[in-house]
Amino acid sequence: MQRVSVSLAAALEERPDVTVTVLALRSSWRFLHLRAVYWLPLALLRIMLLALRGQADVVLFSSMVTASLAVFLRPLLAKHQVKMVAIAHGRDVTLPGVYQRYWVRRILRALNAVLPVSTATAAELRSRGMAEERISIIPNGVTLQRFPQPFISKREPRGTFVLCSVGRLVPRKGFAWFVECVMPLLPAHVHYRIVGSGPDHGTLVAAINRCGLGDRVQLMGRCTDSEIAELYLNSDLLIMPNIPIEGDMEGFGVVILEAGACGTPAIAADMEGMRDVITEGRNGHLCTTADPDAFARLILRYSLNPAALEQLRTSTAGHTTESFSWSRVAETYVALLHSL
């Protein structure tokens, strides 16, 4: 969510038809929650001052978490005809506990509109009482400049067929499931590289050892942006094998866009936010969730047909550029905010 917020703010600031004031908490993840304790009241005060001075038409909250401020701002901003809009990513809507049962619904009542990043997130908003006319789906974008060009010429011939996954090591990502259930179905020249850290690390190590895949599955830990871009460029397919976890969800799948910017197609589970990112046959394929044979068939199709893979890589790069650049997504945001 942080990267999405920063990228959207930068894209909006470049536009001549809007004036943007950014109220951002810039912090490492380690201290983010501590710093938020004093940042949120300060942001509340700054928004109130902007409204009182007539310097704001719309407040755009970067997530449902920061949109908590809308509950307290509603009386003043309604009086000054300042609209409040929040981006909803997925998990910020479905977090369990008191937040879920009580607070999310209060936030939704305070907002003038909510912009879910996917159809799945929009469905979660409806189930929590958000009126249809106040929901507008706007997908995430990708900063194309972060990734080297051209897309395909940097790849070198090799004997292995490389799959990659990028994300936090948590159960819903399905990485351990893929190692245990899909990798044994694939030939020895198919290798799998996983970038990320998290509580599922031990489960992944156990799955790798149990299946005897130490020479074919590599846990790369946390990597820099340039290292991840290099991984995408030198991988044949991105794998997103998510599995359903109650109370948790994949709201969109930004890594599909990041890989797509490098011309790397994705094979993703047919669930939640991935459905809004994958256009079948253009930038990858959706695969039946938790179906190892279906995943294996699609991977084998491209590992045995280099020409088909190169065609899909070219299509993926073009589709990502045309549909998901931040400049295009920002244009959609501005049009909607103007309409309010």
mmCIF file of all heavy atoms in Angstrom, residues 279-312:
data_model
loop_
_atom_site.group_PDB
_atom_site.id
_atom_site.type_symbol
_atom_site.label_atom_id
_atom_site.label_comp_id
_atom_site.label_asym_id
_atom_site.label_seq_id
_atom_site.Cartn_x
_atom_site.Cartn_y
_atom_site.Cartn_z
ATOM 1 N N THR A 279 -5.426 -10.265 -17.851
ATOM 2 C CA THR A 279 -6.296 -10.401 -19.015
ATOM 3 C C THR A 279 -5.859 -11.669 -19.722
ATOM 4 O O THR A 279 -4.742 -11.763 -20.226
ATOM 5 C CB THR A 279 -6.170 -9.194 -19.954
ATOM 6 O OG1 THR A 279 -6.575 -8.015 -19.248
ATOM 7 C CG2 THR A 279 -7.042 -9.371 -21.188
ATOM 8 N N GLU A 280 -6.726 -12.649 -19.731
ATOM 9 C CA GLU A 280 -6.360 -13.993 -20.167
ATOM 10 C C GLU A 280 -5.682 -13.997 -21.535
ATOM 11 O O GLU A 280 -6.230 -13.504 -22.523
ATOM 12 C CB GLU A 280 -7.612 -14.880 -20.197
ATOM 13 C CG GLU A 280 -7.343 -16.352 -20.419
ATOM 14 C CD GLU A 280 -6.587 -16.988 -19.247
ATOM 15 O OE1 GLU A 280 -6.680 -16.472 -18.119
ATOM 16 O OE2 GLU A 280 -5.927 -18.012 -19.486
ATOM 17 N N GLY A 281 -4.466 -14.535 -21.557
ATOM 18 C CA GLY A 281 -3.711 -14.653 -22.796
ATOM 19 C C GLY A 281 -2.965 -13.400 -23.205
ATOM 20 O O GLY A 281 -2.155 -13.442 -24.129
ATOM 21 N N ARG A 282 -3.225 -12.251 -22.532
ATOM 22 C CA ARG A 282 -2.532 -11.007 -22.865
ATOM 23 C C ARG A 282 -1.295 -10.796 -22.004
ATOM 24 O O ARG A 282 -0.218 -10.469 -22.504
ATOM 25 C CB ARG A 282 -3.476 -9.807 -22.699
ATOM 26 C CG ARG A 282 -4.563 -9.698 -23.750
ATOM 27 C CD ARG A 282 -4.079 -9.197 -25.098
ATOM 28 N NE ARG A 282 -3.295 -7.966 -25.021
ATOM 29 C CZ ARG A 282 -3.808 -6.748 -24.958
ATOM 30 N NH1 ARG A 282 -5.125 -6.582 -24.938
ATOM 31 N NH2 ARG A 282 -3.027 -5.689 -24.930
ATOM 32 N N ASN A 283 -1.466 -10.952 -20.680
ATOM 33 C CA ASN A 283 -0.320 -10.794 -19.776
ATOM 34 C C ASN A 283 -0.186 -11.987 -18.830
ATOM 35 O O ASN A 283 0.468 -11.899 -17.800
ATOM 36 C CB ASN A 283 -0.429 -9.496 -18.970
ATOM 37 C CG ASN A 283 -1.672 -9.450 -18.090
ATOM 38 O OD1 ASN A 283 -2.670 -10.108 -18.354
ATOM 39 N ND2 ASN A 283 -1.614 -8.660 -17.026
ATOM 40 N N GLY A 284 -0.816 -13.092 -19.203
ATOM 41 C CA GLY A 284 -0.694 -14.308 -18.410
ATOM 42 C C GLY A 284 -1.980 -15.096 -18.392
ATOM 43 O O GLY A 284 -2.828 -14.946 -19.279
ATOM 44 N N HIS A 285 -2.125 -15.914 -17.356
ATOM 45 C CA HIS A 285 -3.287 -16.801 -17.268
ATOM 46 C C HIS A 285 -3.745 -16.915 -15.821
ATOM 47 O O HIS A 285 -2.932 -16.872 -14.887
ATOM 48 C CB HIS A 285 -2.947 -18.205 -17.781
ATOM 49 C CG HIS A 285 -2.508 -18.246 -19.210
ATOM 50 N ND1 HIS A 285 -3.401 -18.279 -20.269
ATOM 51 C CD2 HIS A 285 -1.261 -18.227 -19.763
ATOM 52 C CE1 HIS A 285 -2.712 -18.300 -21.416
ATOM 53 N NE2 HIS A 285 -1.419 -18.278 -21.125
ATOM 54 N N LEU A 286 -5.055 -17.076 -15.651
ATOM 55 C CA LEU A 286 -5.619 -17.427 -14.362
ATOM 56 C C LEU A 286 -5.777 -18.938 -14.291
ATOM 57 O O LEU A 286 -6.136 -19.578 -15.279
ATOM 58 C CB LEU A 286 -6.976 -16.748 -14.160
ATOM 59 C CG LEU A 286 -6.942 -15.231 -14.014
ATOM 60 C CD1 LEU A 286 -8.357 -14.669 -14.076
ATOM 61 C CD2 LEU A 286 -6.259 -14.821 -12.708
ATOM 62 N N CYS A 287 -5.502 -19.470 -13.117
ATOM 63 C CA CYS A 287 -5.479 -20.918 -12.955
ATOM 64 C C CYS A 287 -6.357 -21.304 -11.774
ATOM 65 O O CYS A 287 -6.400 -20.584 -10.766
ATOM 66 C CB CYS A 287 -4.029 -21.348 -12.692
ATOM 67 S SG CYS A 287 -3.738 -23.091 -12.911
ATOM 68 N N THR A 288 -7.058 -22.410 -11.882
ATOM 69 C CA THR A 288 -7.923 -22.856 -10.796
ATOM 70 C C THR A 288 -7.153 -22.892 -9.478
ATOM 71 O O THR A 288 -6.082 -23.484 -9.392
ATOM 72 C CB THR A 288 -8.499 -24.249 -11.097
ATOM 73 O OG1 THR A 288 -9.148 -24.227 -12.368
ATOM 74 C CG2 THR A 288 -9.492 -24.663 -10.030
ATOM 75 N N THR A 289 -7.704 -22.258 -8.467
ATOM 76 C CA THR A 289 -7.039 -22.168 -7.178
ATOM 77 C C THR A 289 -6.780 -23.551 -6.579
ATOM 78 O O THR A 289 -7.656 -24.424 -6.606
ATOM 79 C CB THR A 289 -7.899 -21.348 -6.192
ATOM 80 O OG1 THR A 289 -8.216 -20.099 -6.788
ATOM 81 C CG2 THR A 289 -7.182 -21.121 -4.879
ATOM 82 N N ALA A 290 -5.561 -23.743 -6.076
ATOM 83 C CA ALA A 290 -5.161 -24.981 -5.387
ATOM 84 C C ALA A 290 -5.317 -26.218 -6.272
ATOM 85 O O ALA A 290 -5.583 -27.319 -5.779
ATOM 86 C CB ALA A 290 -5.950 -25.144 -4.087
ATOM 87 N N ASP A 291 -5.131 -26.057 -7.590
ATOM 88 C CA ASP A 291 -5.174 -27.177 -8.532
ATOM 89 C C ASP A 291 -3.767 -27.386 -9.085
ATOM 90 O O ASP A 291 -3.359 -26.703 -10.030
ATOM 91 C CB ASP A 291 -6.158 -26.871 -9.660
ATOM 92 C CG ASP A 291 -6.347 -28.047 -10.617
ATOM 93 O OD1 ASP A 291 -5.464 -28.930 -10.659
ATOM 94 O OD2 ASP A 291 -7.367 -28.072 -11.332
ATOM 95 N N PRO A 292 -2.984 -28.296 -8.496
ATOM 96 C CA PRO A 292 -1.592 -28.462 -8.928
ATOM 97 C C PRO A 292 -1.452 -28.891 -10.382
ATOM 98 O O PRO A 292 -0.541 -28.437 -11.087
ATOM 99 C CB PRO A 292 -1.042 -29.531 -7.976
ATOM 100 C CG PRO A 292 -2.234 -30.179 -7.361
ATOM 101 C CD PRO A 292 -3.337 -29.171 -7.371
ATOM 102 N N ASP A 293 -2.354 -29.729 -10.870
ATOM 103 C CA ASP A 293 -2.266 -30.179 -12.261
ATOM 104 C C ASP A 293 -2.489 -29.034 -13.231
ATOM 105 O O ASP A 293 -1.827 -28.952 -14.272
ATOM 106 C CB ASP A 293 -3.293 -31.289 -12.528
ATOM 107 C CG ASP A 293 -2.958 -32.575 -11.785
ATOM 108 O OD1 ASP A 293 -1.758 -32.864 -11.608
ATOM 109 O OD2 ASP A 293 -3.901 -33.267 -11.372
ATOM 110 N N ALA A 294 -3.406 -28.133 -12.901
ATOM 111 C CA ALA A 294 -3.681 -26.996 -13.781
ATOM 112 C C ALA A 294 -2.469 -26.070 -13.855
ATOM 113 O O ALA A 294 -2.093 -25.602 -14.937
ATOM 114 C CB ALA A 294 -4.908 -26.237 -13.284
ATOM 115 N N PHE A 295 -1.845 -25.779 -12.711
ATOM 116 C CA PHE A 295 -0.633 -24.956 -12.707
ATOM 117 C C PHE A 295 0.468 -25.630 -13.517
ATOM 118 O O PHE A 295 1.142 -24.987 -14.343
ATOM 119 C CB PHE A 295 -0.149 -24.708 -11.275
ATOM 120 C CG PHE A 295 -0.758 -23.503 -10.618
ATOM 121 C CD1 PHE A 295 -1.926 -23.615 -9.876
ATOM 122 C CD2 PHE A 295 -0.167 -22.254 -10.735
ATOM 123 C CE1 PHE A 295 -2.497 -22.508 -9.265
ATOM 124 C CE2 PHE A 295 -0.731 -21.134 -10.122
ATOM 125 C CZ PHE A 295 -1.896 -21.262 -9.387
ATOM 126 N N ALA A 296 0.664 -26.929 -13.297
ATOM 127 C CA ALA A 296 1.739 -27.652 -13.981
ATOM 128 C C ALA A 296 1.530 -27.650 -15.488
ATOM 129 O O ALA A 296 2.479 -27.472 -16.262
ATOM 130 C CB ALA A 296 1.821 -29.081 -13.454
ATOM 131 N N ARG A 297 0.282 -27.828 -15.943
ATOM 132 C CA ARG A 297 -0.001 -27.851 -17.386
ATOM 133 C C ARG A 297 0.370 -26.518 -18.044
ATOM 134 O O ARG A 297 0.979 -26.492 -19.124
ATOM 135 C CB ARG A 297 -1.480 -28.165 -17.638
ATOM 136 C CG ARG A 297 -1.835 -29.631 -17.555
ATOM 137 C CD ARG A 297 -3.210 -29.902 -18.169
ATOM 138 N NE ARG A 297 -4.271 -29.148 -17.501
ATOM 139 C CZ ARG A 297 -4.941 -29.579 -16.443
ATOM 140 N NH1 ARG A 297 -4.657 -30.756 -15.918
ATOM 141 N NH2 ARG A 297 -5.910 -28.848 -15.917
ATOM 142 N N LEU A 298 -0.004 -25.411 -17.410
ATOM 143 C CA LEU A 298 0.298 -24.102 -17.993
ATOM 144 C C LEU A 298 1.801 -23.836 -18.029
ATOM 145 O O LEU A 298 2.332 -23.311 -19.017
ATOM 146 C CB LEU A 298 -0.409 -23.008 -17.201
ATOM 147 C CG LEU A 298 -1.868 -22.750 -17.555
ATOM 148 C CD1 LEU A 298 -2.506 -21.816 -16.542
ATOM 149 C CD2 LEU A 298 -1.995 -22.170 -18.958
ATOM 150 N N ILE A 299 2.492 -24.196 -16.972
ATOM 151 C CA ILE A 299 3.943 -23.988 -16.934
ATOM 152 C C ILE A 299 4.628 -24.832 -18.005
ATOM 153 O O ILE A 299 5.516 -24.352 -18.729
ATOM 154 C CB ILE A 299 4.485 -24.309 -15.532
ATOM 155 C CG1 ILE A 299 3.952 -23.276 -14.525
ATOM 156 C CG2 ILE A 299 6.020 -24.331 -15.526
ATOM 157 C CD1 ILE A 299 4.123 -23.683 -13.075
ATOM 158 N N LEU A 300 4.214 -26.072 -18.133
ATOM 159 C CA LEU A 300 4.814 -26.957 -19.141
ATOM 160 C C LEU A 300 4.541 -26.454 -20.554
ATOM 161 O O LEU A 300 5.381 -26.594 -21.443
ATOM 162 C CB LEU A 300 4.278 -28.378 -18.967
ATOM 163 C CG LEU A 300 4.813 -29.150 -17.750
ATOM 164 C CD1 LEU A 300 4.042 -30.446 -17.558
ATOM 165 C CD2 LEU A 300 6.300 -29.424 -17.911
ATOM 166 N N ARG A 301 3.362 -25.858 -20.771
ATOM 167 C CA ARG A 301 3.031 -25.334 -22.100
ATOM 168 C C ARG A 301 4.110 -24.359 -22.587
ATOM 169 O O ARG A 301 4.543 -24.428 -23.743
ATOM 170 C CB ARG A 301 1.677 -24.634 -22.081
ATOM 171 C CG ARG A 301 1.312 -24.020 -23.435
ATOM 172 C CD ARG A 301 0.195 -22.986 -23.333
ATOM 173 N NE ARG A 301 -1.035 -23.512 -22.773
ATOM 174 C CZ ARG A 301 -2.141 -22.779 -22.608
ATOM 175 N NH1 ARG A 301 -2.140 -21.487 -22.945
ATOM 176 N NH2 ARG A 301 -3.216 -23.315 -22.086
ATOM 177 N N TYR A 302 4.539 -23.488 -21.688
ATOM 178 C CA TYR A 302 5.510 -22.474 -22.091
ATOM 179 C C TYR A 302 6.955 -22.946 -21.948
ATOM 180 O O TYR A 302 7.823 -22.487 -22.684
ATOM 181 C CB TYR A 302 5.267 -21.193 -21.294
ATOM 182 C CG TYR A 302 3.982 -20.517 -21.707
ATOM 183 C CD1 TYR A 302 2.847 -20.575 -20.898
ATOM 184 C CD2 TYR A 302 3.881 -19.855 -22.936
ATOM 185 C CE1 TYR A 302 1.658 -19.980 -21.298
ATOM 186 C CE2 TYR A 302 2.701 -19.261 -23.332
ATOM 187 C CZ TYR A 302 1.590 -19.324 -22.512
ATOM 188 O OH TYR A 302 0.413 -18.737 -22.911
ATOM 189 N N SER A 303 7.209 -23.862 -21.038
ATOM 190 C CA SER A 303 8.582 -24.363 -20.917
ATOM 191 C C SER A 303 8.967 -25.215 -22.119
ATOM 192 O O SER A 303 10.150 -25.336 -22.445
ATOM 193 C CB SER A 303 8.738 -25.175 -19.626
ATOM 194 O OG SER A 303 8.024 -26.396 -19.703
ATOM 195 N N LEU A 304 7.969 -25.781 -22.797
ATOM 196 C CA LEU A 304 8.230 -26.625 -23.962
ATOM 197 C C LEU A 304 8.046 -25.889 -25.282
ATOM 198 O O LEU A 304 8.268 -26.465 -26.340
ATOM 199 C CB LEU A 304 7.295 -27.854 -23.930
ATOM 200 C CG LEU A 304 7.444 -28.768 -22.709
ATOM 201 C CD1 LEU A 304 6.367 -29.845 -22.714
ATOM 202 C CD2 LEU A 304 8.832 -29.394 -22.675
ATOM 203 N N ASN A 305 7.633 -24.613 -25.226
ATOM 204 C CA ASN A 305 7.368 -23.856 -26.448
ATOM 205 C C ASN A 305 7.935 -22.443 -26.304
ATOM 206 O O ASN A 305 7.203 -21.492 -26.003
ATOM 207 C CB ASN A 305 5.862 -23.808 -26.722
ATOM 208 C CG ASN A 305 5.542 -23.271 -28.103
ATOM 209 O OD1 ASN A 305 6.363 -22.581 -28.731
ATOM 210 N ND2 ASN A 305 4.342 -23.560 -28.587
ATOM 211 N N PRO A 306 9.235 -22.264 -26.532
ATOM 212 C CA PRO A 306 9.873 -20.948 -26.364
ATOM 213 C C PRO A 306 9.243 -19.859 -27.229
ATOM 214 O O PRO A 306 9.154 -18.705 -26.803
ATOM 215 C CB PRO A 306 11.334 -21.210 -26.772
ATOM 216 C CG PRO A 306 11.535 -22.681 -26.575
ATOM 217 C CD PRO A 306 10.217 -23.309 -26.889
ATOM 218 N N ALA A 307 8.792 -20.212 -28.425
ATOM 219 C CA ALA A 307 8.193 -19.200 -29.307
ATOM 220 C C ALA A 307 6.908 -18.650 -28.703
ATOM 221 O O ALA A 307 6.649 -17.440 -28.745
ATOM 222 C CB ALA A 307 7.929 -19.805 -30.684
ATOM 223 N N ALA A 308 6.085 -19.526 -28.123
ATOM 224 C CA ALA A 308 4.846 -19.076 -27.486
ATOM 225 C C ALA A 308 5.151 -18.203 -26.276
ATOM 226 O O ALA A 308 4.455 -17.206 -26.023
ATOM 227 C CB ALA A 308 4.007 -20.288 -27.073
ATOM 228 N N LEU A 309 6.200 -18.540 -25.549
ATOM 229 C CA LEU A 309 6.573 -17.737 -24.390
ATOM 230 C C LEU A 309 7.017 -16.339 -24.809
ATOM 231 O O LEU A 309 6.603 -15.342 -24.209
ATOM 232 C CB LEU A 309 7.691 -18.422 -23.607
ATOM 233 C CG LEU A 309 8.231 -17.635 -22.416
ATOM 234 C CD1 LEU A 309 7.140 -17.417 -21.372
ATOM 235 C CD2 LEU A 309 9.435 -18.340 -21.796
ATOM 236 N N GLU A 310 7.841 -16.243 -25.844
ATOM 237 C CA GLU A 310 8.313 -14.930 -26.293
ATOM 238 C C GLU A 310 7.162 -14.070 -26.801
ATOM 239 O O GLU A 310 7.127 -12.854 -26.592
ATOM 240 C CB GLU A 310 9.376 -15.098 -27.388
ATOM 241 C CG GLU A 310 10.692 -15.670 -26.871
ATOM 242 C CD GLU A 310 11.259 -14.860 -25.719
ATOM 243 O OE1 GLU A 310 11.398 -13.622 -25.848
ATOM 244 O OE2 GLU A 310 11.557 -15.450 -24.669
ATOM 245 N N GLN A 311 6.205 -14.702 -27.457
ATOM 246 C CA GLN A 311 5.023 -13.961 -27.922
ATOM 247 C C GLN A 311 4.234 -13.413 -26.733
ATOM 248 O O GLN A 311 3.779 -12.263 -26.748
ATOM 249 C CB GLN A 311 4.142 -14.883 -28.765
ATOM 250 C CG GLN A 311 2.930 -14.179 -29.371
ATOM 251 C CD GLN A 311 2.123 -15.108 -30.269
ATOM 252 O OE1 GLN A 311 2.404 -16.302 -30.375
ATOM 253 N NE2 GLN A 311 1.124 -14.564 -30.917
ATOM 254 N N LEU A 312 4.082 -14.226 -25.689
ATOM 255 C CA LEU A 312 3.351 -13.787 -24.509
ATOM 256 C C LEU A 312 4.122 -12.699 -23.767
ATOM 257 O O LEU A 312 3.527 -11.754 -23.236
ATOM 258 C CB LEU A 312 3.089 -14.981 -23.583
ATOM 259 C CG LEU A 312 2.276 -14.689 -22.316
ATOM 260 C CD1 LEU A 312 0.893 -14.138 -22.664
ATOM 261 C CD2 LEU A 312 2.150 -15.948 -21.457
#
